[in-house]
Amino acid sequence: MARLLSTDVVPREQRLAYWTDMICNVYVQLGCDPVARSAGGFDGSIRQHTLPSLDVSVVTSGPQKVMRTAGHIARSSDDCFLVSIQARGRGVVRQDGRDAVLSEGDFALYDSTRPYQLLFDDAFEQIVLKLPGERLRSELRQTEALTATTVSGREGAGHLLLGMIRTLHEDIDALQPASALAVANGVLNILVAGLQTLPAARAPALSNLTAFHLARIKRRIDEQLDDPALSVGTLSAALGLSVSQIHRVFKSEPVTPAQYIWERRLEACSRDLLDPRAAGRTVGEIAYGRGFNDAAHFSRAFRERFGCSPREWRQRIAH
């Protein structure tokens, strides 16, 4: 699903107010001040694309300062991460006492649950990714240490992310739902890989034995995912590991073993909801088929993970 928003549709004297409404609607509650008022007035556009659990937008505008303050946060319950990828010009992301200076191709992460600023001294273009907060927290530890830190777009995961996003921007309207989900997951994986290169994300290497047991546990979870009885206790009995051993093995992971089981079940349900072969099954049937036994709890967990209800997920992609 795509839409184009532009200040061209309103008189010049109304464009700044209209722009502020636009960015609040597409992202989160924000304030905006132009860095300098030109004789020609303020101009800006946003082209927004919606993928499963990921919004991709291209922002083109003049110099400005964008702010999310404690007051904005108090008035809204938005919990999401945003990633600014500098496509043209120069930008600064400021959060948690750090400044990330972005040149073309670089990107930085910021968290909507805490104040931040975006600074642009000249005309610019950015690609912005928006994803639910819980989605990234389930993939990365201590995300607050990774905000407002520049990831280079000239090598490694940053370079791959920029190339993938640009290709996606060109082909996004032709994607089928299952393909869109795969692409969204691929973008997230590359984003996580880029953030894991930051010094604050580097964790001690696992011992060979711990890595072996972690792989065994995850493989067993995938094999038994549809079993509602699957738990840390049943894993302990099946693998010959104590419950405390399983928790120790998961200490290097961003989630506990029980949370990991939930995450894998939610991901499986998200795929099933978009699968044409499951079109005749209700949301409840899909949830129970993946090991959930409480429809209300499943719906709440799904919304936290993907930013919408299971029914909205299915309908949004269908549209």
Side-chain angles (χ1 to χ4, degrees):
M1 186 168 62
R3 61 174 177 165
L4 174 64
L5 304 170
S6 173
T7 56
D8 289 345
V9 301
V10 298
R12 288 203 172 274
E13 65 274 12
Q14 298 176 18
R15 288 185 177 183
L16 180 59
Y18 185 71
W19 176 256
T20 302
D21 287 344
M22 282 169 54
I23 59 177
C24 290
N25 179 262
V26 174
Y27 305 113
V28 293
Q29 290 296 305
L30 297 164
C32 179
D33 286 332
V35 172
R37 295 184 182 275
S38 65
F42 188 89
D43 292 293
S45 68
I46 301 174
R47 183 176 294 276
Q48 182 188 20
H49 303 275
T50 300
L51 288 172
S53 72
L54 179 69
D55 279 359
V56 181
S57 55
V58 180
V59 183
T60 305
S61 188
Q64 61 190 274
K65 176 182 179 181
V66 176
M67 303 145 290
R68 181 159 170 84
T69 65
H72 291 126
I73 294 168
R75 292 194 296 271
S76 66
S77 58
D78 299 304
D79 178 8
C80 62
F81 283 99
L82 298 111
V83 178
S84 285
I85 308 167
Q86 200 71 26
R88 181 169 53 83
R90 179 181 177 276
V92 176
V93 175
R94 177 173 294 166
Q95 190 172 50
D96 298 325
R98 294 183 293 270
D99 282 7
V101 179
L102 305 181
S103 300
E104 185 171 334
D106 297 341
F107 72 84
L109 175 78
Y110 42 110
D111 186 339
S112 75
T113 64
R114 296 189 303 283
Y116 64 79
Q117 295 180 0
L118 308 177
L119 310 173
F120 307 98
D121 292 333
D122 211 335
F124 71 95
E125 181 176 284
Q126 275 194 345
I127 302 167
V128 181
L129 311 181
K130 179 184 173 185
L131 61 155
E134 284 304 310
R135 185 79 197 274
L136 194 61
R137 292 189 193 100
S138 70
E139 302 282 348
L140 285 169
R141 298 167 61 89
Q142 299 179 323
T143 53
E144 66 278 1
L146 306 179
T147 55
T149 306
T150 304
V151 180
S152 173
R154 287 169 287 286
E155 58 187 9
H159 182 69
L160 287 174
L161 181 64
L162 184 62
M164 187 172 188
I165 291 295
R166 282 176 168 161
T167 301
L168 176 62
H169 178 57
E170 295 172 359
D171 300 334
I172 195 167
D173 292 330
L175 289 174
Q176 295 299 313
S179 299
L181 177 60
V183 169
N185 288 337
V187 169
L188 178 65
N189 291 338
I190 296 175
L191 171 63
V192 168
L195 293 169
Q196 285 175 333
T197 66
L198 298 175
R202 292 172 188 164
L206 298 180
S207 69
N208 290 338
L209 182 60
T210 299
F212 169 71
H213 285 315
L214 183 61
R216 285 180 68 212
I217 294 167
K218 288 185 174 181
R219 183 167 60 249
R220 185 72 180 187
I221 288 172
D222 284 342
E223 291 169 353
Q224 301 295 122
L225 200 60
D226 300 349
D227 183 358
L230 175 65
S231 67
V232 179
T234 62
L235 287 171
S236 170
L239 298 174
L241 298 170
S242 69
V243 170
S244 60
Q245 277 181 297
I246 292 175
H247 281 283
R248 280 199 299 274
V249 167
F250 262 79
K251 283 188 71 174
S252 63
E253 296 290 294
V255 291
T256 66
Q259 289 170 332
Y260 182 80
I261 293 171
W262 274 84
E263 295 290 341
R264 296 297 289 164
R265 282 177 169 160
L266 288 169
E267 289 170 7
C269 288
S270 74
R271 294 192 298 271
D272 292 345
L273 288 165
L274 301 184
D275 191 338
R277 295 170 296 182
R281 299 170 63 195
T282 67
V283 169
E285 288 171 342
I286 287 173
Y288 294 133
R290 288 298 187 176
F292 289 99
N293 52 25
D294 184 324
H297 192 187
F298 162 70
S299 185
R300 286 195 300 271
F302 193 97
R303 181 180 290 278
E304 288 178 2
R305 170 72 168 172
F306 295 105
C308 64
S309 72
R311 195 173 307 280
E312 290 168 339
W313 173 272
R314 192 179 230 177
Q315 292 172 345
R316 180 187 301 176
I317 303 306
H319 292 322

